Amino acid sequence: MKIAVLGGDGIGPEVTAQAVKVLRALASRGLSFELTECLVGGAAYDQTGHPLPAQTLAAVQRADAVLFGAEGGFQYETLPRGLRPGDALLTLRKALDLFANYRPVVAFRELAGASSFKREVVEGLDLLIVRELTSDLYFGEPRGIVTENGRRVGINTMRYTEDEIARVVRAGFEAARRRQRKLCSVDKANVLESMELWRAVTEEVARDYPDVALTHLYVDAAAMALARNPGQFDVIVTGNLFGDILSDEASMLTGSIGMLPSASVNAQGKGLYEPVHGCAPDIAGKDIANPLGSILSAAMMLRDSAGQPEAAARVEDAVRRVLADGLRTADIHEPGCTLAGTAAMGDAVVAALLDH
Ligand code: NAD
Ligand code: IPM
Ligand code: MN
């Protein structure tokens, strides 16, 4: 299996290195990977003048799966669009047509006290956000900053075709079928026409899934429900922008955004795997970032792209055992636990994996 490894910026390379350690440990036990490290984001811009060099795009297209870190950085935010680090990720998502973004929100029992929510709210929590990833306000035209009557106007367009809605909603139903058979579609159909269509198409697709209980929530109410009683959710399917916001909110249920992995896949099943967090400039270079989101993303890759569900489960189990042993990075640390840096956390997961 060919994996393109794109560490990127800030804590991206730091956490990705830990996921790579885990893959190499599995390779020492018989799985076979070909890892190709590529430049992306600000790091690529600094070295080549472009955040997504042609060589990187070619390597990604050759690969069976992509392991992505994070990109960004304040020093790049005034560059023209197209040259900013975030544009590389958006281009990759669009170029590979990675329309379905799976963001599991699993609260490890050991971390219930690390969450800013009450223990009884988060204990046993296991929900999945399916976020549309290649359309919506992110890609809709027209867009831009134009001048009208001597003043600037910022424009973006929320746009969804029925096919774009149907395919991601179908992905949500399929995911629900593999879980508790409950799907909540989140929209803003009361105000936005694009979301009115979202709800209508969702109802049409639902006819093929009579065995799945479908509900709808407006996004504002969904944000509230996620904080009040997240246990009511099994699978949430939603658009690109709402999914971005709701998944960062939901991450806090688990203790830290550093815990959340994700898989972005296309119709051919090719996937890009990345933690949900960004490049975290405030903690970069200090060996304090939580690498578990990246390691758990590698586990998703093993399950979904490598056809190795047992290896995936072993990695997830190793993470669980490291947490049960009391090891914590700073973001999830509690009194009585052992504080570990990024690399030490990666080493501990590898040790737990090999010890099994
Ligand atoms: P962020 O996710 O980088 O950071 C938000 C907060 O969470 C920060 O306080 C950070 O220290 C903390 N955090 C994030 N990951 C952590 C981890 N693994 N362990 C411990 N703490 C962690 O979001 P931001 O600050 O809004 O964005 C910073 C930059 O990253 C921006 O340039 C943004 O565009 C970019 N970004 C990139 C991605 C991506 O590559 N997928 C995602 C989000 C943001
Ligand atoms: C994410 C990030 C990206 C997004 C940015 C960096 C383009 O926030 O993956 O959640 O908004 O999709
Ligand atoms: Mn985000």
Side-chain angles (χ1 to χ4, degrees), residues 117 127 129 221-230 233 236 246 249-250 253:
F117 289 83
L127 64 87
I129 296 176
M224 186 208 66
L226 262 178
R228 194 188 59 162
N229 175 19
F233 294 110
I236 291 173
L246 292 180
E249 182 197 1
L253 299 162

Side-chain angles (χ1 to χ4, degrees), residues 71 86 89-90 93 103 131 133 138 240 244 248 274 276:
E71 30 73 305
L89 183 56
L90 296 175
R93 289 173 179 171
R103 297 186 158 187
R131 171 191 175 194
L133 206 58
Y138 276 62
N240 202 344
D244 180 44
D248 269 36
E274 59 167 329
V276 167

Side-chain angles (χ1 to χ4, degrees), residues 21-345:
K21 270 183 198 168
V22 167
L23 291 175
R24 291 202 197 284
L26 288 169
S28 77
R29 293 291 167 90
L31 291 189
S32 162
F33 306 111
E34 187 188 313
L35 303 175
T36 310
E37 304 229 6
C38 309
L39 285 170
V40 78
Y45 176 81
D46 289 340
Q47 288 196 37
T48 71
H50 200 280
L52 185 61
Q55 220 180 342
T56 298
L57 186 57
V60 162
Q61 269 151 352
R62 268 197 315 273
D64 301 305
V66 181
L67 185 63
F68 194 93
E71 30 73 305
F74 304 120
Q75 67 271 42
Y76 306 107
E77 281 170 9
T78 50
L79 285 172
R81 289 210 178 264
L83 291 181
R84 295 183 200 172
D87 299 333
L89 183 56
L90 296 175
T91 303
L92 276 177
R93 289 173 179 171
K94 196 71 176 170
L96 301 178
D97 200 22
L98 305 169
F99 69 91
N101 178 220
Y102 299 88
R103 297 186 158 187
V105 180
V106 177
F108 286 86
R109 190 167 41 83
E110 292 79 5
L111 298 185
S115 172
S116 40
F117 289 83
K118 286 182 191 153
R119 179 174 288 274
E120 59 267 29
V121 172
V122 300
E123 223 155 35
L125 187 73
D126 180 347
L127 64 87
L128 172 69
I129 296 176
V130 181
R131 171 191 175 194
E132 200 286 328
L133 206 58
T134 52
S135 186
D136 201 342
L137 273 167
Y138 276 62
F139 296 95
E141 300 278 350
R143 65 183 297 160
I145 300 174
V146 299
T147 305
E148 279 175 12
N149 302 326
R151 53 179 195 166
R152 288 165 302 161
V153 181
I155 301 169
N156 290 95
T157 303
M158 188 178 259
R159 182 179 195 278
Y160 265 114
T161 68
E162 58 181 324
D163 312 346
E164 288 169 336
I165 299 168
R167 64 180 183 169
V168 74
V169 167
R170 212 166 268 288
F173 273 111
E174 293 292 336
R177 262 195 183 158
R178 296 189 294 270
R179 298 171 47 103
Q180 305 301 313
R181 296 178 182 256
K182 282 166 60 183
L183 181 68
C184 178
S185 169
V186 172
D187 62 38
K188 190 72 185 171
N190 48 345
V191 178
L192 306 169
E193 283 82 356
S194 55
M195 293 288 102
E196 193 181 328
L197 181 66
W198 177 285
R199 190 170 289 211
V201 172
T202 300
E203 287 290 343
E204 288 158 23
V205 173
R207 290 187 207 129
D208 293 340
Y209 298 89
D211 52 319
V212 175
L214 172 68
T215 54
H216 304 275
L217 277 179
Y218 299 130
V219 65
D220 47 356
M224 186 208 66
L226 262 178
R228 194 188 59 162
N229 175 19
Q232 70 188 278
F233 294 110
D234 177 24
V235 181
I236 291 173
V237 65
T238 190
N240 202 344
L241 182 68
F242 298 161
D244 180 44
I245 299 167
L246 292 180
S247 54
D248 269 36
E249 182 197 1
S251 77
M252 283 298 101
L253 299 162
T254 72
S256 170
I257 191 162
M259 294 300 299
L260 248 58
S262 86
S264 311
V265 304
N266 66 17
Q268 291 73 45
K270 182 158 172 165
L272 180 150
Y273 300 84
E274 59 167 329
V276 167
H277 63 74
C279 66
D282 53 335
I283 59 167
K286 297 181 182 164
D287 188 43
I288 58 174
N290 186 342
L292 296 180
S294 182
I295 290 172
L296 293 169
S297 299
M300 290 184 86
M301 180 170 80
L302 290 165
R303 185 175 284 113
D304 298 342
S305 277
Q308 297 286 345
E310 277 168 34
R314 280 177 60 204
V315 172
E316 288 157 356
D317 187 54
V319 167
R320 197 167 291 118
R321 277 184 291 139
V322 165
L323 293 174
D325 284 347
L327 220 59
R328 303 282 189 277
T329 43
D331 55 320
I332 50 174
H333 187 259
E334 286 179 87
C337 292
T338 310
L339 188 62
T342 308
M345 200 68 171

